[in-house]
């Protein structure tokens, strides 16, 4: 009976011992392997190599970062008339009043020569663009194609205005930042701000549709922020794109524009701004930032410092270990350190 | 038509049958006279009449052991899967994540869950398919059925109740049959039930006389009986029914029932895929010594008794897995805490001042600042779905896969554990317990068949002060190896005779050469003593080649066999005479038949420890031959010739320390007057009515004195190959070995010596019931009194020994301790009041020997240690009497390759030889433990790290429960990007080679201490997870908060993709860092995983997917276009692994584990050559070859212990049964009885 299964067994291993397992490196667990042992030498070498690689990178990054010139000015309080500054409610009242004069001037001094392009950023604090309710409150479909206008299910409560779908819908677009800046150099030359090319290309070309025009935007009861020119398609509304690439942290900068003009040291830049955006409700801060950029980007010492620190610690440890190694050779390779040799007796 | 009413009634009863049968089945089965079938549950079967039976619709004979069929597979399989808590948890989470509460899309949890389920289901389906194939093979096996007037072969499944079948020799019974006729006379047949009860003797079944004739097809076709019998039930040993034949009702007994084959069913039930192969390999599972039988089918298919006997052995879980449960619980705790923190934070954070969040009056509950409690609750749920990755979903399925491959590919296929002689590879019958093998601290071993081969061999002797026999015992060989002795090649004498019971090689004695020895007369006396002084019965033909000896103990048979080979062939026993064919004293090559009149036999018992025979030579010389333990013989020697005594004593000690069982032989010439006067007293004593035994013993003392010493014999209780060295290795590994045996104390101690479990340097604590006090009490016969006395004495002993043991423990270099306890005392010591003391004492002992224990006691001892001491235990045994012990311990190991299958069936692992235990534990167990620990800790680490990163992020999102990673990242993290390398690690990681594992058994102690899965280890991993998650989050988020060289800024999804990339790279590299050995598969899997991530993200972010949110679109390309990406990718993994690296380096340098030191010691040795060497040695030296070690090299340690042979549990009952007295079988006799039967020739067909 059941000749089939036994025949299989028989045919696979003919001879006396049909049950003898076949030899294979895998089943005998003899696959060729290297044994990476963290010997002191290896540890020291690894640390040294890391040090050698990291410290130069760190120095390069740090110096690059140091070369970046950055001017930053906080203005949210100063741009409120004195009379409204005392309480939060006053500030809110001021900012929400469409009649109040929101113009404001800030003066910046260029500390060092700044090579063009000079990037203009606005920086907000305590603004949770990464809040769950906020992040998802948009409709990529709607932004992309004119046909999906009514695809606003994620956009509540900013999905419909007067029964019509809002384009672009959602809280993100609704709360669009709308302070504006214009710059004058040394009181007489006005600096043009180039506001094209401030968004990522992929956003421009794919995520925001060419045929999609703002509709019913900011027409609801409550105005969240800036409005959009309804005759310009979304694919050209770069401020919106920048704003809608939500920031990771509650403190973030967003690119406002570029000044394609070299600034000299001690130049005085006058910023005329319209202080439209309400950060007073949530005690936010606003800054305007002018910064150059080089191969590493904007000013960011962190990478350089981190590289130097890690590299430095590695070097330091390599030295320590070397000293230890020379002073007190390893316990390894010495059978007398085996636990059963050091403390005899039952287990 | 006949039987209509009955059919009707039985059908109407069918419904009720189920409930009543169970209660009926224990009722007595045999009644005399006409018996009405017990209503209500009975079935009527019309033999040989399919039409009549058709109406009742009995079940068919096809069986199905599959769990599922095509329709039920999905629902049932899924149900099984969701019985696992982890899966159920993820199902809940998945459901939760379809609600708007969830921050993540259902994908996050559904994808990993479905993948895990898919893998599990495929495995289930595969296994079920195998079972299905097995079922098909069995169902389609063919059987001869009577159709018309001839036998027709049909498949088993077509068989129906009432059919008449023919089963041929060595065939299987296809169903439960009513035995009708047999080719044997008397209508008997023999069946083997070794697999059922472990007994290898054949069972006899006898058909009813009425049916004997229905043997040939034409006759059988006339058989028109009607069987009324009980409904199918699971009682194997009972059967109630009647056969109505020719209007006569004859009661049926179990004796007429042949049960469907057991092995097959059990194997199928236990889901052993190779059941059929196995059975074909066996020497036939059922019908033996019978050409064929004819039977009528009574129960078919699932209604057969064995199939109804489906016992569900609860599957064991490993200790590590139970510890893992605790870890998972801890993770749940952590999850709870994280969610709590987040939920509280969220409730505090939420505020209308954040106008951009659009918290209008009708905002949903989760963000409604007016109801912060609701916010708290809902955010809590949100966070549970978000942080669910902290529970490693694929952990269980990964571990299962790893263990499955470990057991099927590594353990089952290990050539080191393949036993060529029995053609048996090791077999892991469960894959649950691999890592448990790496933590065993106590081994409970059976003796017979496990440590020993239950084979007594005449090995050496000392005659007249001269040692004969050149062999070496295992123990000597072990000692020689330890002291570095060299292994020479065997020099066998030409014409070496080796037969069962005889393994002696010395040319000086063989082939009559003893005549040329200095003392041929002593030799002659020696051989005669062997040939005459015994109680052996010869069986079979009276020729030296064909005769077999039936003896109470194998020792005796060995001695008589030895005498036969030396030329004193005992061939016949009559009540008064012993006939010996002696080789002629003077003339070489001639034989003469001598008859010795046996005057008296002074029997062996355990107090006398000797046996004497008074015989009269044909020439009238009266001699008393005596053999016995050296202590009792020496007391009774005549006071002359001290030199011989001293030399022989030395030899005895030499034999004893070699682990041999010794007997002293002596004789005494009696004058006829002396004999006559003694004989009178003897007869008187024999015929006394009171205290007969005592009196006989006293009279025997009178004549058993002034003996002349002839010499001594040394019998090897043949150990299994390599047992002492294996035991030594295991005890060096910190494993304590307890021998639990049904044997007598002396035998057990003897074996313990032979296995080097006990040696003379040890302090022995003996708790025995063989004390005078207890014996006196037993003689008085008051059971209550006896119990009290034994209990008191056990208590006293325990107390005393415990104090002593503690005293020794306090001293620095106290002796090692050994406890020897017998079954009767054990019974009382296991009493709850004394249990603690027993445990305490025995845990302090290096070895423990329990003798005369019942199977139940074996199990009790195992669970005492398992539960009382919470140590991990392993039981190993080969027989049915070990089953309970095997099931009681954490790990059960059965010795396979022998006839009995019961132990193997109950076991978790089956190996062919005890010595393979060292491979199983020290190599496979240790590796498995290491690997599984690593796998678990790694899983713990990678999921914790991943989840903590999310956790940190949430602090900066206003505790909103925003996910940091994309849904797909999160769902594929566990199942794709980090899944394979850890499996590779679990399969291939190898800290030290197999050879080193056995060379340094002490490495095993790390497993016993659970050094790799302690709280501290997990804590360290948790700490570094914490650290790494901080690095991932803060390094990436801080360094990305700046503008890029194009002046543009990163958004949330750029940052998170960066962080995820770092995490995947780091976590995969971390795996390489923890590997002890790196094969190409490591590189492939680690590289592949990282590559898989990049491939995935390239594709995933390359297209706009028709989804509402395309957050990831183009992100990776944007990232990779910046220098920042590369700088971070270099920095973060190194900074993250920096801590681990330093820790590992420092740990290795300053606090190395033992295995790390061993790695270093041997790091320059090429590993493979060593392993290949081992393979080349291949089958170890045969016993004969191995006897070649030079004796001279042996350190001759003196032993106070001289083992003495000649005792055996069956001894008394053997004589009693010879005398026709019934002695109740003791539980511990079962194994021995079975083994005695084994030596008996197959039952010949009675004529």
């Amino acid at each position: 009976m059941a000749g089939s299964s036994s025949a299989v067994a028989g045919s696979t291993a003919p001879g006396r011992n049909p049950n003898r397992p076949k030899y294979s490196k895998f089943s005998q667990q003899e696959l060729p392997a290297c044994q990476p042992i963290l010997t002191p030498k290896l540890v020291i070498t690894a640390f040294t190599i890391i040090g050698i690689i990291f410290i130069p990178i760190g120095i390069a990054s740090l110096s690059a970062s140091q070369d970046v010139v950055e001017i930053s000015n906080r203005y949210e309080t100063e741009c409120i008339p004195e009379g409204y500054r005392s309480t939060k409610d006053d500030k809110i009242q001021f900012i929400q009043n469409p009649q109040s004069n929101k113009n404001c001037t800030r003066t910046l001094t260029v500390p060092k020569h700044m090579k063009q392009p000079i990037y203009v950023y606005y920086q907000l604090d305590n603004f949770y663009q990464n809040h769950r309710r906020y992040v998802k409150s948009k409709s990529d479909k709607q932004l992309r194609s004119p046909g999906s206008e009514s695809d606003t299910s994620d956009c509540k409560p900013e999905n419909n205005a007067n029964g019509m779908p809002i384009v672009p819908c959602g809280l993100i677009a609704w709360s669009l930042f709308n302070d504006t800046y214009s710059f004058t150099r040394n009181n007489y030359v006005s600096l043009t701000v180039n506001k094209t090319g401030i968004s990522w290309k992929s956003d421009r070309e794919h995520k925001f549709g060419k045929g999609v025009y703002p509709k019913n935007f900011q027409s609801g009861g409550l105005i969240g922020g800036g409005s959009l020119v309804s005759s310009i398609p979304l694919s050209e509304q770069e401020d919106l794109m920048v704003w809608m690439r939500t920031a990771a942290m509650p403190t973030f900068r967003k690119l406002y524009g570029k000044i394609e003009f070299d600034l000299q040291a001690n130049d005085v830049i006058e910023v005329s701004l319209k202080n439209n955006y309400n950060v007073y409700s949530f005690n936010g801060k606003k800054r305007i930032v002018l910064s150059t950029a080089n191969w590493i980007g904007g000013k960011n010492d962190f990478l350089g410092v981190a590289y130097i620190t890690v590299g430095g610690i590695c070097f330091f440890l390599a030295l320590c270990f070397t000293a230890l190694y020379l002073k007190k050779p390893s316990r390894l390779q010495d059978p007398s350190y085996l636990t059963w040799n050091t403390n005899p007796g039952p287990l | 038509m006949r039987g209509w009413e009955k059919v009707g009634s039985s059908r109407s009863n069918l419904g009720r049958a189920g409930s009543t049968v169970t209660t009926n089945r224990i009722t007595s089965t045999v009644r005399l006279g006409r018996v009405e079938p017990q209503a209500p549950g009975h079935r009527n079967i019309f033999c040989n009449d399919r039409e009549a039976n058709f109406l009742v619709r009995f079940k068919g004979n096809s069986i199905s052991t599959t769990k599922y069929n095509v329709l039920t597979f999905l629902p049932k399989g899924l149900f099984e899967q969701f019985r696992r808590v982890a899966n159920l948890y993820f199902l809940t989470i998945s459901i939760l994540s379809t609600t708007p509460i969830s921050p993540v899309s259902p994908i996050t949890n559904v994808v990993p869950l479905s993948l895990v389920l898919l893998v599990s289901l495929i495995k289930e389906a595969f296994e079920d398919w195998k079972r299905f194939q097995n079922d098909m093979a069995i169902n389609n096996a063919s059987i001869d059925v009577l159709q018309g007037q001839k036998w027709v072969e049909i498949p088993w499944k077509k068989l129906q109740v009432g059919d008449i079948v023919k089963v041929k020799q060595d065939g299987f019974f296809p169903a439960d049959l009513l035995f009708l006729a047999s080719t044997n006379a008397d209508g008997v047949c023999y069946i083997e039930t070794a697999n059922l009860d472990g007994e290898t003797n054949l069972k006899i079944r006898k058909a009813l006389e009425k049916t004997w004739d229905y043997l040939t097809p034409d006759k059988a076709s006339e058989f028109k009986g009607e069987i009324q019998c009980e409904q199918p039930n699971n009682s194997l040993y009972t059967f109630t029914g009647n056969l109505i034949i020719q209007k006569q009702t004859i009661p049926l007994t179990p004796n007429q029932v042949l049960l469907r084959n057991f092995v097959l069913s059990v194997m199928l039930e236990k889901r052993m895929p190779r059941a059929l192969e196995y059975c074909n390999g066996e020497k036939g599972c059922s019908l033996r010594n019978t050409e064929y039988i004819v039977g009528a089918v009574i129960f078919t298919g699932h209604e057969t008794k064995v199939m109804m006997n489906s016992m569900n052995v609860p599957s064991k879980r490993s200790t590590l897995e139970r510890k893992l449960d605790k870890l998972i619980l801890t993770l749940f705790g952590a999850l709870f805490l994280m969610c709590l923190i987040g939920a509280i934070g969220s409730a505090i954070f939420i505020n209308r001042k954040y106008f951009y969040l659009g918290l209008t009056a009708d905002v949903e509950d989760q963000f409604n600042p007016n109801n912060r409690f609701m916010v708290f609750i809902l955010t809590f749920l949100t966070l549970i779905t978000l942080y669910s990755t902290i529970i490693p979903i694929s952990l269980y399925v990964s571990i299962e896969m790893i263990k499955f491959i470990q057991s099927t590919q590594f353990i089952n296929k290990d050539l080191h554990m393949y036993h060529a002689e029995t053609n048996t590879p090791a077999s892991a019958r469960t894959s649950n317990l691999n890592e448990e093998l790496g933590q065993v601290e106590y081994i409970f071993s059976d003796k017979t068949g496990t440590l020993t081969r239950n084979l007594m061999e005449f090995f050496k002797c000392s005659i007249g002060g001269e040692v004969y026999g050149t062999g070496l015992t295992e123990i000597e060989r072990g000692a020689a190896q330890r002291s570095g002795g060299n292994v020479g090649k065997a020099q066998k004498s030409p014409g070496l005779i080796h037969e069962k019971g005889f393994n002696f090689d010395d040319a000086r004695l063989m082939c009559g050469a003893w005549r040329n020895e200095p003392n041929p007369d002593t030799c002659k006396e020696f051989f005669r003593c062997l040939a005459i002084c015994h109680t052996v019965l010869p069986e079979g033909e009276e020729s030296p080649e064909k005769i077999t000896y039936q003896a109470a103990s194998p020792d005796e048979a060995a001695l008589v066999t030895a005498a036969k080979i030396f030329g004193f062939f005992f061939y016949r026993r009559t009540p008064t005479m012993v006939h010996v064919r002696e080789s002629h004293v003077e003339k070489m090559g001639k034989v003469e038949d001598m008859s010795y009149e046996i005057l008296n036999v002074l029997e062996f018992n355990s107090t006398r420890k000797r046996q004497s025979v008074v015989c009269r030579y044909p020439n009238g010389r009266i001699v008393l031959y005596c053999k016995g333990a050296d202590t009792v013989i020496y007391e009774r020697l005549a006071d002359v010739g001290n030199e011989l005594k001293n030399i022989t004593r030395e030899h005895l000690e030499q034999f004893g320390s070699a682990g041999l069982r010794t007997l002293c032989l002596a004789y005494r010439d009696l004058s006829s007057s002396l004999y006559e006067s003694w004989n009178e007293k003897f007869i008187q004593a024999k015929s006394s009515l009171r205290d007969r035994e005592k009196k006989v013993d006293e009279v025997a003392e009178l004549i058993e004195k002034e003996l002349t010493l002839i010499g001594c014999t040394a019998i090897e209780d043949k150990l299994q190959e390599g047992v002492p060295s294996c035991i030594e290795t295991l005890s060096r590994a910190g494993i304590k070995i307890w021998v639990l045996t049904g044997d007598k104390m002396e035998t057990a101690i003897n074996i313990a010596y032979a296995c080097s479990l006990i040696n003379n340097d040890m302090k022995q604590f003996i708790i025995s019931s063989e004390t005078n006090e207890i014996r006196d009490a037993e003689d008085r016969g008051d059971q209550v009194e006896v119990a009290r006395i034994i209990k008191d004495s056990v208590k006293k002993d325990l107390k005393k020994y415990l104090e002593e043991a503690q005293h020794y423990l306090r001293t620095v270099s106290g002796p090692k301790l050994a406890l020897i306890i017998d079954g009767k005392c054990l019974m009382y010591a296991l009493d709850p009041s004394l249990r603690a003391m027993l445990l305490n004492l025995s845990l302090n002992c290096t070895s423990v020997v329990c003798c005369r224990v019942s199977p139940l006691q074996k199990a009790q001892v195992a669970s005492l240690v398992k539960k009382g001491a919470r140590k991990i235990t392993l039981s190993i045994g080969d027989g049915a009497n070990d089953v309970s012990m095997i099931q009681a311990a954490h790990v059960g190991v059965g010795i396979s390759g022998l006839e009995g299958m019961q132990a193997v069936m109950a076991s978790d692992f089956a190996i062919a030889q005890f010595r393979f235990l060292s491979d199983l534990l020290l190599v496979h167990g240790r590796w498995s433990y290491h690997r599984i620990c690593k796998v678990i800790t790694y899983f713990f680490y990678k999921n914790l790290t991943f989840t903590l990163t999310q956790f940190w992020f949430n602090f900066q999102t206003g505790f909103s429960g925003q996910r940091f990673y994309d849904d797909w990242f999160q769902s594929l993290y566990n199942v794709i990007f980090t899944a394979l390398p850890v499996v590779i690690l679990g399969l291939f990681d190898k800290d030290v080679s197999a050879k080193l594992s056995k060379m340094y058994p002490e490495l095993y102690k790390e497993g016993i201490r659970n050094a790799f899965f302690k709280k501290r280890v997990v804590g360290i991993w948790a700490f570094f997870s914490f650290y790494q998650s901080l690095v991932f989050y803060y390094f990436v988020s801080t360094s990305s908060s700046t503008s890029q060289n194009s002046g543009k800024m990163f958004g949330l999804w750029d940052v998170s993709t960066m962080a995820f990339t770092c995490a995947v790279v780091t976590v995969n590299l971390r795996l390489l860092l923890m590997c002890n050995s790196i094969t190409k598969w490591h590189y492939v899997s680690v590289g592949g995983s990282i590559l898989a991530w990049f491939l995935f993200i390239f594709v995933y972010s390359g297209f706009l997917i028709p989804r509402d949110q395309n957050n990831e679109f183009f992100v990776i390309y944007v990232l990779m276009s910046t220098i920042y990406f590369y700088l971070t990718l270099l920095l973060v993994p190194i900074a993250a692994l920096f801590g681990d690296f330093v820790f590992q380096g420092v740990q290795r340098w300053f606090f190395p584990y033992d295995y790390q030191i061993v790695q270093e010691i041997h790091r320059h040795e090429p590993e493979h050559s060593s392993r290949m060497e081992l393979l080349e040695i291949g089958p170890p030296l045969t016993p004969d070859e191995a006897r070649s070690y030079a004796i001279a090299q042996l350190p001759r340690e003196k032993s106070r212990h001289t083992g003495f042979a000649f005792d055996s549990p069956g001894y008394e009952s053997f004589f009693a049964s010879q005398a026709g007295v019934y002695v109740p079988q003791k539980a511990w006799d079962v194994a021995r009885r079975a083994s005695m039967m084994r030596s008996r020739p197959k039952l010949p067909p009675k004529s």
Side-chain angles (χ1 to χ4, degrees), chain A residues 28-30 140 307 339, chain B residues 413 990 1110 1127 1154 1171:
Chain A
Q28 300 308 310
Q29 309 195 54
E30 289 169 3
D140 278 359
Y307 265 104
T339 47
Chain B
K413 292 196 175 168
K990 200 156 61 160
N1110 267 311
L1127 284 179
D1154 289 332
R1171 179 91 174 173

Side-chain angles (χ1 to χ4, degrees), chain B residues 185-332:
Chain B
D186 306 337
V188 296
C189 73
Y190 303 94
I191 58 172
E192 192 175 281
T193 57
N195 306 306
L196 184 61
D197 48 21
E199 294 188 34
T200 49
N201 55 329
L202 302 179
K203 297 268 160 60
I204 300 176
R205 291 283 181 272
K206 191 165 182 184
L208 293 173
E209 223 173 312
K210 275 272 179 195
T211 62
W212 284 4
D213 297 335
Y214 299 105
L215 192 61
T216 54
D218 43 330
K219 198 81 172 96
S221 62
E222 291 165 18
F223 181 72
K224 290 281 179 211
E226 182 194 340
I227 302 165
Q228 299 178 327
C229 66
E230 59 191 3
Q231 287 293 348
N233 62 59
N234 66 354
S235 168
L236 284 174
Y237 302 103
T238 63
F239 178 76
T240 323
N242 292 317
L243 177 67
I244 304 168
I245 179 171
Q246 291 151 10
K247 307 230 161 101
Q248 217 180 335
T249 302
I250 311 165
L252 297 170
T253 69
N255 216 5
Q256 282 91 41
V257 176
L258 304 170
L259 297 183
R260 185 187 170 112
N261 184 267
F262 186 73
V263 174
L264 222 51
S265 313
V266 168
M267 282 182 152
L268 290 171
E269 213 162 85
K270 297 227 173 177
R271 325 248 176 241
M272 283 183 71
R274 291 165 63 208
L276 282 174
E277 278 169 51
Y278 199 94
C279 270
N280 283 346
E282 286 277 283
K283 283 171 278 172
C285 284
S286 286
L287 186 65
R288 308 291 297 268
N289 288 355
T290 311
E291 196 189 320
Y292 68 88
I293 61 113
V294 172
V297 177
I298 40 183
F299 299 131
T300 46
H302 287 281
E303 292 181 338
T304 55
K305 296 215 174 213
V306 280
M307 291 302 284
M308 306 235 357
N309 235 299
S310 52
M311 44 178 175
N312 269 329
V313 179
S315 64
K316 296 178 185 172
R317 291 186 70 212
S318 76
T319 318
L320 199 65
E321 242 172 73
R322 251 176 269 136
K323 290 220 170 87
L324 172 63
D325 287 351
K326 275 191 199 157
L327 181 67
I328 300 281
L329 273 182
T330 318
L331 284 175
F332 271 116

Side-chain angles (χ1 to χ4, degrees), chain A residues 17 28-30 34-35 37 121 128 132-133 138 140 144 200 207 245-246 249 298 300 307 339, chain B residues 356-358 366 413 418 931 956 960 990-991 1039 1043 1047 1049 1052 1054 1076 1078 1110 1127 1154 1171:
Chain A
N17 297 327
Q28 300 308 310
Q29 309 195 54
E30 289 169 3
C34 68
Q35 223 178 29
I37 293 180
Y121 301 95
Y128 288 86
R132 180 154 70 93
R133 187 174 164 80
K138 61 171 181 171
D140 278 359
R144 198 163 61 234
W200 292 98
K207 289 186 84 171
R245 201 172 183 98
T246 49
M249 298 293 123
N300 187 358
Y307 265 104
T339 47
Chain B
Y356 52 87
L357 296 182
Q366 190 170 6
K413 292 196 175 168
Y418 169 72
R931 289 165 182 173
Q956 303 220 321
S960 60
K990 200 156 61 160
D991 53 349
S1039 62
S1043 61
M1049 300 294 302
L1052 166 61
D1054 308 283
N1076 277 309
I1078 298 182
N1110 267 311
L1127 284 179
D1154 289 332
R1171 179 91 174 173

Side-chain angles (χ1 to χ4, degrees), chain B residues 28 38 41 48 150 197 207 256 314-315 317 351 363 475 576 675 703 755 778 789 826 853 859 894 1037 1053 1148 1160:
Chain B
S28 70
Q38 291 157 346
N48 215 355
K150 54 183 188 294
D197 48 21
Q256 282 91 41
S315 64
R317 291 186 70 212
N351 197 316
V363 69
I475 207 171
T576 54
Y675 171 71
I703 198 162
C755 303
E778 275 172 341
I789 287 178
L826 191 62
V853 289
S1037 64
W1053 304 107
R1148 193 179 181 97
E1160 297 270 341

Side-chain angles (χ1 to χ4, degrees), chain B residues 396-681:
Chain B
Y396 284 99
V397 75
S398 301
I399 288 185
E400 213 168 83
M401 252 162 65
I402 291 169
K403 285 188 185 178
F404 180 73
I405 296 177
Q406 277 177 351
S407 53
T408 55
Q409 296 298 312
F410 297 161
I411 294 181
N412 290 0
K413 292 196 175 168
D414 191 349
L415 286 169
H416 291 254
M417 295 202 291
Y418 169 72
H419 194 233
E421 280 137 67
T422 52
N423 188 19
T424 318
S427 140
R429 293 173 30 79
T430 164
S431 58
N432 288 343
L433 296 173
N434 296 346
E435 74 275 14
E436 194 90 331
L437 290 173
Q439 296 191 279
V440 171
E441 190 169 357
Y442 285 86
I443 291 181
F444 302 103
S445 174
D446 175 42
K447 187 194 82 90
T448 316
T450 307
L451 295 176
T452 67
R453 304 180 194 188
N454 198 27
L455 195 63
M456 302 296 172
E457 289 188 334
F458 188 85
F459 196 67
K460 287 185 184 194
C461 61
S462 157
I463 307 174
E466 190 73 34
V467 176
Y468 296 97
T470 55
L472 277 184
T473 60
E474 284 281 346
I475 207 171
E476 287 173 314
R477 222 176 309 152
Q481 269 168 345
R482 256 166 280 148
S483 60
N486 201 14
V487 186
K489 202 70 195 156
Q491 291 171 347
K492 277 187 237 169
S493 310
L496 176 75
I497 301 164
H498 190 174
E499 68 169 84
K500 190 171 178 263
F502 189 77
N503 182 11
F504 177 85
D505 180 22
D506 198 328
R508 288 176 296 171
L509 289 187
M510 308 290 279
C511 308
W514 52 270
R515 289 186 193 79
N516 304 326
E517 283 300 289
N519 43 10
D521 287 334
T522 322
C523 288
K524 204 164 61 191
E525 290 295 348
F526 184 87
F527 298 143
R528 276 198 183 127
C529 181
L530 292 184
I532 296 167
C533 178
H534 57 75
T535 50
V536 173
L537 294 174
E539 245 180 32
E541 233 176 280
E542 289 176 1
S543 77
E545 291 79 31
K546 298 217 171 130
I547 203 158
T548 51
Y549 291 118
Q550 193 71 357
S553 85
D555 301 82
E556 279 220 291
L559 292 175
V560 178
T561 308
K564 174 180 88 180
I565 290 163
F566 290 133
F568 290 76
F569 172 38
F570 159 68
Y571 63 93
R572 191 186 302 158
R573 177 190 286 277
T574 62
T576 54
M577 303 292 269
V578 161
H579 300 268
V580 180
R581 186 166 298 152
E582 297 184 357
S583 67
H584 205 276
V585 182
E586 274 84 34
K587 284 172 246 168
M588 280 276 267
K590 295 267 168 154
V591 291
E592 54 183 340
D593 284 0
M594 301 280 279
S595 317
Y596 300 93
E597 188 186 347
I598 303 301
L599 300 173
N600 304 91
V601 176
L602 307 175
E603 278 176 10
F604 176 88
N605 66 36
S606 52
T607 29
R608 279 165 48 77
K609 293 183 179 172
R610 63 189 182 273
Q611 173 190 46
S612 303
V613 165
V614 183
C615 69
R616 193 192 328 248
Y617 276 49
N619 63 9
R621 178 188 173 204
I622 300 176
V623 187
L624 172 127
Y625 285 112
C626 181
K627 66 179 181 192
D630 50 347
T631 44
V632 292
I633 300 286
Y634 267 69
E635 281 170 16
R636 291 168 177 78
L637 289 182
D639 216 6
V640 285
N642 276 330
E643 200 188 340
L644 176 64
K645 278 194 225 169
N646 290 340
I647 294 173
T648 310
R649 152 101 33 220
E650 250 175 56
H651 294 162
L652 281 166
E653 286 174 356
Q654 188 184 317
F655 294 154
S657 65
L660 297 169
R661 296 150 68 98
T662 57
L663 280 179
C664 278
L665 307 189
Y667 73 99
R668 182 184 179 192
D669 276 314
L670 300 172
S671 65
S672 63
S673 58
L674 181 66
Y675 171 71
E676 292 302 338
S677 65
W678 173 80
N679 195 29
E680 260 172 48
K681 289 179 206 155

Side-chain angles (χ1 to χ4, degrees), chain B residues 46 171 175 258 415 421 450 481 516 715 729 814 874 912 945 981 1036 1039 1047 1053 1065 1113 1125 1130 1243:
Chain B
F46 302 102
L258 304 170
L415 286 169
E421 280 137 67
T450 307
Q481 269 168 345
N516 304 326
I715 287 178
T729 310
L874 178 148
T945 310
V1036 174
S1039 62
W1053 304 107
V1065 171
F1113 178 66
F1125 175 79
L1130 179 67
L1243 285 169

